[in-house]
Amino acid sequence: MSRLPSLARASLATRLLVAALLVILVSLPLAGLGLAHHFRASATAAFDERLAALLNVVIAEVRYDEVEQRLLHERSLGDPRFEQVFSGWYWQVSDGGERVLASRSLWDQRLPVVPASGPEVRDVMGPRGVPLRLIERDIRLAPLEAPLHVGVALSREALDAELAGFTRLLVLSLLGLALLLLAALAAQVRWALAPLRRLQASLRDVENGEAERLDTRLPAELSRLADAINGVLARDRRLMERARHAAGNLAHALKTPVSVLATQADAIDEPQRQRMKAELRRIDEAVRHHLARASAAGDAGLHRPSRCLAVLAPVLEGLGRLAERRGIRLSHALPEAMTLRMDPQDLQELVGNLLENALRWAATRVVVSGGDEGGECWIEVADDGPGMSEAQRRQAMARGVRLDEQEPGSGLGLAIVNDLVTLYGGRFTLGRAALGGLSARVWLPAGPLSKAQGATAAAPRKRSCQ
């Protein structure tokens, strides 16, 4: 039963070849058995006809000498093997008693006698254990009252050798035919499935961000399928762009009313003012969080590889100036050739939130690093601040949680980072940095999102960076 699921997931080429192999394994042996049976029957019939002709010659030349009271055979059968002792060619005439007339080749041996009214053919064992093909019949010969039993036997060795030779030739021919058919079918399958391989390669290019549409230069059936998939891809891109624009417009539309309400809340007496500001802050946090998720591009497979250093340069430059004003040194150790399949805006949002959080808590230094570890791409933001305990790190991953209400900010940065990483099928961890503070590290996808999600769900499978 374990083989059935694997066969169910087999490729089309494997299915076609297995089906062809089954047909060949069934049809060719049946054809071989039929041909072997037909040849055996034909060869045996020809051999028996020869025996019958020799039997008629023997019967025609048998005489009874009344003077000497014995049987006579007046003429040779014309084959010297009947005169050679134990040659395998024998004839015999007998009345079942003392009257026996036999070929010289029988010498002192005798053929078995079985009464037969008509010609009957059977296999017997002859002198020296040689298998014989025997034809025999009973005849009446005047003036004898008892019937005479006449038999002619020939060695089966020539017949068996001919049958064995034909069988060997048939088996070799069928094996050669099977190999030829399999080779022809394999070539046919490869040629027939070539358009599917082109479609698969085109789909892989779309997944890797190297193309936006599937190649439609295919046979009619696959061309229609490619056109339909291209239509779905185009519609999804339009919907994604529309959703991101709508998220941006909504953010601008909500920003002003929330700011106005916050200003008006200052005119309200305590304690209502604090409760009003707390509710407005919750509204602002929820809007920022969900707009950040809605505006994320997601699906790593729809983006071309982007150079991390080039994409993050504006973020590093802008926050670097902010760090200088706070007396913090911001440095990076990002490989120049490092690339990720991620929307540039999402990558800037991700690293920007990590840097803002690090700059808020750092004492004197923040370091951004990245690389390829075990086939996975990673980016780390580390600081020399107070860091977090294990319980605090778990609490910090919750949306909107702030460990220090005295520090400015909404507490959404790490939660937004976690959501973005999840959208791209990556991983996000918090730990102790070598600088002594907090280390925030993300592992980001290097391939299509479907593969990245599968790897994340199953186990930390390794993916190579592009």
Side-chain angles (χ1 to χ4, degrees), residues 106-337:
L106 266 175
W107 195 244
D108 58 350
Q109 301 292 315
R110 293 293 179 263
L111 298 175
V113 176
V114 177
S117 58
E120 292 187 5
V121 182
R122 58 193 177 96
D123 294 324
V124 298
M125 194 63 67
R128 298 185 175 180
V130 176
L132 302 176
R133 185 76 171 167
L134 172 65
I135 184 171
E136 54 192 349
R137 65 171 297 179
D138 291 340
I139 63 171
R140 293 281 180 176
L141 185 64
L144 298 176
E145 296 179 358
L148 294 176
H149 186 80
V150 183
V152 176
L154 299 181
S155 173
R156 284 188 55 94
E157 292 178 346
L159 176 61
D160 292 339
E162 184 179 3
L163 294 177
F166 177 79
T167 302
R168 286 194 300 271
L169 179 62
L170 180 62
V171 170
L172 293 176
S173 300
L174 291 180
L175 286 177
L177 179 60
L179 294 176
L180 181 61
L181 288 176
L182 283 177
L185 288 172
Q188 181 180 3
V189 168
R190 181 173 180 80
W191 174 75
L193 296 183
L196 279 178
R197 289 194 297 274
R198 294 204 307 271
L199 180 61
Q200 184 181 19
S202 180
L203 182 60
R204 186 163 52 248
D205 290 341
V206 173
E207 286 181 340
N208 293 335
E210 299 172 2
E212 294 185 355
R213 292 173 50 85
L214 295 178
D215 187 3
T216 57
R217 293 173 298 178
L218 299 166
E221 300 84 355
L222 296 180
S223 178
R224 290 193 294 270
L225 176 62
D227 284 334
I229 295 176
N230 285 334
V232 173
L233 291 174
R235 184 188 62 183
D236 288 347
R237 289 192 181 91
R238 290 195 300 270
L239 290 177
M240 290 173 61
E241 290 297 326
R242 188 179 302 171
R244 298 188 73 179
H245 287 306
N249 294 335
L250 182 60
H252 288 293
L254 292 175
K255 183 177 181 180
T256 300
V258 171
S259 300
V260 172
L261 289 175
T263 301
Q264 293 180 352
D266 293 335
I268 301 177
D269 296 334
E270 296 288 354
Q272 288 83 1
R273 180 173 58 187
Q274 292 300 326
R275 288 199 296 269
M276 177 67 73
K277 286 189 174 182
E279 294 301 322
L280 289 173
R281 185 166 56 250
R282 289 179 58 192
I283 293 175
D284 183 60
E285 292 171 354
V287 169
R288 285 186 58 196
H289 177 263
H290 291 289
L291 288 180
R293 291 200 62 173
S295 61
D299 202 344
L302 297 179
H303 302 289
R304 296 179 182 273
S306 301
R307 290 188 177 272
C308 295
L309 190 57
V311 172
L312 296 178
V315 177
L316 295 173
E317 182 180 354
L319 292 179
R321 289 193 294 268
L322 176 62
E324 289 179 0
R325 289 196 295 270
R326 296 182 180 180
I328 299 174
R329 183 164 63 92
L330 173 60
S331 61
H332 70 83
L334 291 173
E336 187 175 353

